[in-house]
Amino acid sequence: MAARSTTENHRIPNIPESMFYIPDFISHEEEATLLSALPSNRWIQLQHRRLQTHPSPLSKTNTLLEAPLPRWLVEPIISKFKSLGLFSDSPHQAPNHVLINEYKPLEGIMPHEDGAAYYPIVATVSLSSTLCLDIYEKAQGEDMAQASIGSSPKWRVLQEPRSLLVTTGAAYTNTLHGISEIETDENLGPDTVANWTLLGDSKAFADNGGKNTRSTRVSLTYRNVLKVSKAGARILGRPRG
Ligand SMILES: O=C(O)CCC(=O)C(=O)O
Ligand SMILES: [Fe+2]
């Protein structure tokens, strides 16, 4: 299958299965269009980053009120996912939820897992700047807080602007991921970056002494929420079959 062999060529080696990294997944023009489509009134300021959620945040029981994703999040990205066969096994055969995070230099996200609200696949499109995603092994029975205290990441994945990172399978369920609150990612090279050979421009980091100076980075994380409520449709008098 063409789609499967495309993703196989982008499988990140030496990391729990499966993570895939595709550089230049979108064009410069598509990146600019996405950045200008981000609604400025939807940001929620968190302590160490800004976040927006489309179509809406999940309820306390991790239920999504059924609603379409905005058009600018669907095209061209979800069509590209379809041609790669991504999300084809998920219950809704396509993502139905997108979290958008914005990190300025010195901002990040604590090690965590994305958890059971979602089908175990997340597809992350990066915009504007490069940074390292740190991956931690999740010890059996260990809770997230313990894992994040004092342990260092087992793997690092460098995410360039316009790239796609897909995390699924055991990589989704048996690892934690986080972004450290630093200004510069250092010591980047073939032995320290799991996706080094898959990068679009590893030479840029090598030429810069193995360093990446961060600027503001935005990520779009596409997911499939398992529990979807049609209550909204019913209230509006539009029962769905
Ligand atoms: O920005 C990223 O690449 C990761 C975001 C993330 O882990 C999340 O929103 O759960
Ligand atoms: Fe996450």
Side-chain angles (χ1 to χ4, degrees), residues 19-33:
M19 292 181 87
F20 302 97
Y21 181 81
I22 302 184
D24 301 309
F25 177 70
I26 58 169
S27 68
H28 283 270
E29 195 187 349
E30 288 164 338
E31 177 187 37
T33 303

Side-chain angles (χ1 to χ4, degrees), residues 2 9 27 30 33 46 62 71 76 87 107 120 137 145 153-154 161 207-208 227 229 236 241:
N9 291 338
S27 68
E30 288 164 338
T33 303
L46 305 178
N62 285 334
R71 224 190 135 61
F87 290 92
E107 294 186 331
E137 245 174 352
K154 178 120 192 206
D207 289 350
N208 197 36
K227 281 195 273 176
S229 150
L236 294 171

Side-chain angles (χ1 to χ4, degrees), residues 109 112-114 177 221 223:
I109 187 166
H112 66 280
E113 57 188 315
D114 288 348
H177 54 277
T221 55
R223 304 137 189 271

Side-chain angles (χ1 to χ4, degrees), residues 10 18 54 64 128 130 132 154 179 202 230 237:
H10 294 276
S18 301
H54 295 278
L64 174 68
S128 288
T130 299
C132 255
K154 178 120 192 206
I179 294 168
S202 57
K230 304 202 179 202

Side-chain angles (χ1 to χ4, degrees), residues 149-213:
I149 296 168
S151 71
S152 51
K154 178 120 192 206
W155 301 277
R156 292 196 299 167
V157 172
L158 201 52
Q159 292 175 279
E160 298 166 294
R162 298 173 297 285
S163 70
L164 175 70
L165 178 69
V166 180
T167 305
T168 186
Y172 185 96
T173 45
N174 299 348
T175 70
L176 307 179
H177 54 277
I179 294 168
S180 60
E181 294 165 357
I182 55 179
E183 235 172 341
T184 308
D185 298 286
E186 297 186 346
N187 195 21
L188 305 173
D191 299 330
T192 58
V193 172
N195 60 328
W196 185 259
T197 59
L198 301 171
L199 289 171
D201 191 6
S202 57
K203 190 170 178 300
F205 306 108
D207 289 350
N208 197 36
K211 291 190 194 327
N212 165 59
T213 309

